[in-house]
Amino acid sequence: MRHLLNPLDFSVEELDELMDVALDISKNPQKYAECCKGKKIATLFYEPSTRTRLSFEAAMLNLGGSVLGFSSAASSSAAKGESVADTIRMVSCYADICAMRHPKEGAPLVASLNSSIPVINAGDGGHQHPTQTLTDLMTIRSLKGRLNNITIGLCGDLKFGRTVHSLINALVRYDNVRFILISPNELRVPDYIRQEVLTGNHAEFKEVTQLEDVMPELDILYMTRVQRERFFNEEEYIRMKDCYILDAKKMELAKPDMLVLHPLPRVNEISVEVDKDPRAVYFKQVQFGVYIRMALILKLLEIQV
Ligand code: CP
């Protein structure tokens, strides 16, 4: 039995296969409409979510399966003090696969160690968000045509942004990917990403504070929000929250075929005027997220089509 806790749990070849299946799903949804008949996914969300939880549920429903779960710790027995380990033992009796989001880093790992069903990390604290990364890779591969030979700018809260940590982990495995890390000094990527992931994999990268200066170099701009829920101090959050705002004027500096991605939710960091720019693909990204999660469920349940 396999779990997905980290994007590195799948090889590059397996990720390619997964994206191929997701592409086929997008073209032939009817072929997959009953693949998971009789199967259930449990969505165990101890933290707020719109996209990840609903896209897992949509993915399972699209495959002919069913969904159960909870959308906040307060509405589960976690509020009475039940541990993640005990919870997953129960859920293993109710469902065939589960997706877990938790504010504590490593909680889905703890679940996987006590589970008899596949566990998918749907975001753990400021650590990893591997299915967002699958979504991001699928979006880039589908719309750019490649995952190698790109310069990607990652902008915003690179310290707490788990989608950024997972995406860097995944992209260092492709050839000639150049990283430009755009953040205030206070929100730079954690040391382990800089040293073990980027330097350790001989990736080319630079850290800058000004978005405008690097816009012309980028093939992909990955915007992120400042993660209010991870700040210890509200005043610090307020000081940082509008550090970058992508607007139509800044988009004029970019290549004509640069793509703007964002894991969403957006707060202020992308002005709504950018939405109508054809290079803004963050809403298309959401649709790719359903197809790739469908492919992931099939893979982890070992369902052949
Ligand atoms: N991208 C993402 O994880 O969104 P949600 O927090 O709404 O699930």
Side-chain angles (χ1 to χ4, degrees), residues 16 22 57-58 90 95 115 122-123 138 145 151-152 169 181 183 185 200 202 227 251 261 270 272 288 297 302:
D16 270 342
E57 296 187 358
M90 306 307 122
S115 179
M138 172 92 189
T151 295
I152 180 166
N169 255 290
L181 308 174
S183 73
N185 283 326
H202 311 289
Q227 307 268 306
M251 287 296 286
L261 277 71
I270 301 180
V272 289
F288 287 121
I297 291 169
E302 299 180 358

Side-chain angles (χ1 to χ4, degrees), residues 1 4 18 37 110 174 198 220 255 261:
M1 186 178 65
L4 177 64
L18 209 58
K37 206 167 176 182
V110 171
Y174 295 87
L198 289 162
I220 308 285
K255 291 180 185 174
L261 277 71

Side-chain angles (χ1 to χ4, degrees), residues 24-45:
D24 193 53
I25 289 170
S26 73
K27 291 179 180 161
N28 306 293
Q30 278 310 316
K31 190 171 129 189
Y32 297 86
E34 301 208 338
C35 287
C36 283
K37 206 167 176 182
K39 301 285 187 193
K40 297 192 263 305
I41 188 167
T43 51
L44 312 179
F45 277 62

